[in-house]
């Protein structure tokens, strides 16, 4: 049974990145798909010392560990990955073990701007490097001008982006 975990680096209700994660799952077509909730408190060593790892953080770490593969879509905020995504990585790094180790991971981005979140992908790769996942190097899915690329049901409608997404998901599936 193939288990895919999706993570969006955006908490916005109508997030293009959340839509892109769900589209990736649709294209991947796993037996089981879970969507991680990364609404974590801000990382604070004092909070960790006083209360330990929050249950919601441990849940996502367990989801990562249990997944056959992970797909992450992260917006670009101020030429970098989102604070939400960085906070999630920081918290998850504090859990026992390393759920990311050797985990096949595909990353992508959707943004209103024309670059499609290219810098967020670069910074996400850098931030994940210490965890040693198997991050696919391409093809890069960078959905620029994203407001025109999804229909009212959240389906990716631009053929060129869909074709790249299909290739990336096929490559991810082959790593399992």
């Amino acid at each position: 049974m193939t288990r895919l975990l999706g993570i969006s680096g955006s908490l916005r209700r109508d997030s293009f990145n959340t839509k892109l994660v769900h589209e990736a799952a649709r294209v991947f077509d796993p037996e089981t798909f879970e969507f991680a909730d990364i609404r974590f408190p801000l990382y604070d060593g004092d909070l960790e010392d006083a209360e330990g790892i929050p249950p919601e953080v441990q849940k996502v770490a367990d989801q990562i560990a249990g997944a056959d593969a992970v797909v992450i879509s992260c917006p670009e905020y101020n030429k970098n990955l989102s604070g939400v995504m960085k906070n999630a990585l920081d918290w998850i790094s504090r859990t026992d073990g390393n759920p990311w180790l050797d985990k096949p991971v595909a990353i992508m981005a959707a943004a209103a701007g024309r670059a499609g979140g290219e810098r967020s992908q670069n910074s996400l790769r850098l931030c994940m490097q210490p965890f040693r996942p198997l991050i696919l190097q391409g093809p890069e899915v960078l959905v620029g001008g994203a407001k025109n690329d999804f229909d009212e049901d959240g389906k990716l409608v631009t053929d060129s982006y869909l074709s790249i997404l299909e290739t990336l998901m096929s490559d991810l599936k082959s790593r399992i």
Side-chain angles (χ1 to χ4, degrees):
M1 178 156 75
T2 307
R3 296 180 65 191
L4 180 67
L5 177 66
I7 302 173
S8 174
S10 174
L11 302 180
R12 194 169 58 85
R13 182 175 14 94
D14 200 29
S15 163
F16 299 127
N17 287 279
T18 300
K19 291 176 185 180
L20 189 55
V21 166
H22 286 284
E23 276 296 275
R26 182 185 64 77
V27 169
F28 188 96
D29 193 29
E31 281 86 8
T32 303
F33 173 69
E34 290 183 287
F35 184 76
D37 181 359
I38 60 170
R39 291 179 187 273
F40 301 161
L42 288 176
Y43 178 76
D44 177 343
D46 292 337
L47 176 65
E48 180 184 6
D49 288 345
E51 299 177 22
I53 301 295
E56 60 271 30
V57 172
Q58 189 61 56
K59 178 181 179 180
V60 173
D62 293 343
Q63 287 175 312
I64 294 165
D68 294 305
V70 178
V71 61
I72 301 171
S73 189
C74 187
E76 183 174 310
Y77 293 168
N78 298 311
K79 303 183 188 288
N80 217 320
L81 76 162
S82 68
V84 168
M85 189 73 235
K86 179 65 168 83
N87 187 59
L89 293 175
D90 290 343
W91 265 117
I92 292 166
S93 76
R94 304 299 298 162
T95 62
D96 287 334
N98 179 1
W100 295 109
L101 183 64
D102 296 327
K103 186 72 58 179
V105 176
I107 63 174
M108 58 193 68
R114 65 178 179 242
E118 183 176 17
R119 289 182 177 132
S120 70
Q121 278 200 20
N122 291 335
S123 60
L124 180 57
R125 287 176 197 280
L126 184 63
C127 288
M128 292 190 73
Q129 191 174 17
F131 310 134
R132 300 187 346 233
L134 301 175
I135 298 177
L136 277 66
Q137 297 305 305
E140 290 183 314
V141 176
L142 301 165
V143 180
K147 67 179 178 178
N148 301 315
D149 296 304
F150 294 91
D151 68 15
E152 58 278 348
D153 296 321
K155 187 169 184 286
L156 190 60
V157 295
T158 305
D159 290 338
S160 59
Y161 292 139
L162 190 54
S163 176
I164 296 167
L165 180 61
E166 288 168 349
T167 301
L168 182 63
M169 289 302 98
S170 176
D171 289 353
L172 183 62
K173 197 176 261 192
S174 76
R175 300 303 200 290
I176 297 174

